[in-house]
Amino acid sequence: MPELPEVETVRRGLEPAMEGARFAKVEVHRGDLRWPLPADFAKRLEGSTVTGLGRRAKYLLADLSSGDVLIMHLGMSGSFHVFGKERQSTPGAYYHERSKHVAHDHVVFHMSSGAIVTFNDPRRFGSMKLVKRAKLDDEPLLRGLGPEPLGNAFDAAMLALACKGKKTSLKAALLDQRIVAGLGNIYVCEALYLSRLSPKRLASTIATKSGAPNERAERLVESIKRVLNDAIKAGGSSLRDHKLTDGGLGMFQHNFRVYDREGEKCRTPGCGGTVKRIVQNGRSTFYCPSCQK
Ligand SMILES: [Zn+2]
């Protein structure tokens, strides 16, 4: 499943094609995505202009001149392809290769910029939804989400307070979208590794009894921001030579520090440990038992 850096990279890739452009024509080939698209989906979009393309957690939010907001989620296997006049691209930095089979192009946006944006999703766990801008605060998909990990509201004090007294593992706490929004399995593993904290450690141990942050909380927040920023930077740079016609470039080879490296040598200088895989809450956790305490 695409994580926050992938979604942010997609947002940046779609921005030049969509922002400031009008939906000239919208085709819906299959409306039964994760939820069915409303019957008037195309009609509500056509003629309106995208005034801004933002992101909240793993949702893309297109602000429209009509007063609607188009909420889009990539799901498990969704991707956007942009067909421009001169070049084609598949914005995003995907660990798993994306489908380019036209049979899975469920929604097609013809933008006034001349760009054609297709939403491709073989498994159809992706979703699109139109909500009134004025009602966005009540939107169930977004309500209750914790702060953005790259925003200023996410800091050691906030995270420590949220973990105060928590008897769950630190990894489970970081995957809890109410505590921090948009973090997934890969970047939680990476951030815990970088901060040298064990994923099995109790969440409460990054805070004092009164909920003040200790040094672990400071290190963890710094590591989370760093792994996400690094990944966005790497994804962004892969955009430039992304070509739809070249299958090999559809997959972004991220140089993970610990994720998916079971049995391999720990990359921390002087550690000498071996990366281990355990299962926590049904998901694989990769970590180094020697330097993550
Ligand atoms: Zn190590």
Side-chain angles (χ1 to χ4, degrees), residues 55-59 61 71 73 137 139-148 158 175-183:
R55 179 189 57 74
R56 177 76 172 105
K58 290 190 256 183
Y59 294 97
L61 304 180
I71 305 177
H73 194 279
D137 287 344
E139 170 52 40
L141 292 174
L142 308 175
R143 204 177 47 199
L145 285 176
E148 285 291 317
M158 176 269 143
L175 285 175
D176 184 342
Q177 302 298 301
R178 293 165 299 183
I179 293 180
V180 53
L183 278 187

Side-chain angles (χ1 to χ4, degrees), residues 266 271 288 291:
C266 171
C271 170
C288 172
C291 64

Side-chain angles (χ1 to χ4, degrees), residues 13-293:
L14 290 178
E15 214 172 24
M18 294 184 76
E19 211 169 72
R22 182 171 41 79
F23 288 96
K25 191 177 142 205
V26 174
E27 294 171 52
V28 177
H29 297 150
R30 279 199 78 149
D32 54 337
L33 302 180
R34 181 160 194 175
W35 303 287
L37 293 176
D40 61 351
F41 182 76
K43 219 177 101 200
R44 265 172 85 179
L45 286 177
E46 283 171 358
S48 65
T49 299
V50 177
T51 54
L53 188 63
R55 179 189 57 74
R56 177 76 172 105
K58 290 190 256 183
Y59 294 97
L60 293 166
L61 304 180
D63 259 297
L64 308 180
S65 57
S66 60
D68 281 331
V69 177
L70 171 62
I71 305 177
M72 301 178 278
H73 194 279
L74 296 164
M76 306 282 287
S77 58
S79 63
F80 286 95
H81 303 304
V82 180
F83 300 83
K85 281 195 195 90
E86 320 222 303
R87 60 190 289 275
Q88 305 178 348
S89 70
T90 305
Y94 297 105
Y95 186 50
H96 301 289
E97 188 155 17
R98 298 287 107 174
S99 160
K100 281 160 192 156
H101 201 290
V102 292
H104 303 302
D105 283 346
H106 305 310
V107 181
V108 183
F109 300 140
H110 298 261
M111 306 304 298
S112 63
S113 61
I116 297 170
V117 178
T118 63
F119 179 65
N120 186 294
D121 188 1
R123 297 177 66 182
R124 285 182 286 118
F125 281 110
S127 59
M128 291 194 189
K129 190 172 180 181
L130 277 166
V131 298
K132 292 263 165 242
R133 161 58 55 188
K135 296 242 170 96
L136 202 61
D137 287 344
D138 303 325
E139 170 52 40
L141 292 174
L142 308 175
R143 204 177 47 199
L145 285 176
E148 285 291 317
L150 291 173
N152 291 333
F154 181 67
D155 60 14
M158 176 269 143
L159 184 61
L161 200 58
C163 289
K164 175 190 158 189
K166 265 206 181 303
K167 297 300 173 216
T168 56
S169 69
L170 190 50
K171 190 197 177 198
L174 293 176
L175 285 175
D176 184 342
Q177 302 298 301
R178 293 165 299 183
I179 293 180
V180 53
L183 278 187
N185 203 37
I186 293 176
Y187 294 102
V188 166
C189 289
E190 294 288 291
L192 285 167
Y193 169 78
L194 198 60
S195 57
R196 302 188 309 281
L197 293 172
S198 169
K200 298 193 287 186
R201 169 182 282 287
L202 285 184
S204 59
T205 61
I206 65 162
T208 64
K209 271 210 177 72
S210 60
N214 60 25
E215 182 267 339
R216 294 185 196 110
E218 306 277 357
R219 245 194 292 154
L220 184 55
V221 165
E222 209 183 287
S223 300
I224 289 168
K225 292 186 190 266
R226 190 170 142 200
V227 296
L228 293 177
N229 277 321
D230 284 356
I232 290 170
K233 225 181 280 169
S237 66
S238 77
L239 270 181
R240 280 193 289 275
D241 43 31
H242 228 125
K243 283 208 176 65
L244 190 67
T245 44
D246 186 341
L249 287 172
M251 185 160 63
F252 172 62
Q253 300 286 346
H254 194 106
N255 195 16
F256 295 124
R257 294 172 173 96
V258 71
Y259 185 82
D260 212 9
R261 295 190 66 239
E262 182 183 13
E264 291 178 44
K265 253 193 152 9
C266 171
R267 286 185 173 160
T268 300
C271 170
T274 302
V275 175
K276 196 175 163 188
R277 185 182 78 92
I278 56 170
V279 175
Q280 288 177 293
N281 306 93
R283 319 265 323 256
S284 286
T285 298
F286 298 88
Y287 79 114
C288 172
S290 304
C291 64
Q292 287 179 255
K293 298 294 180 190

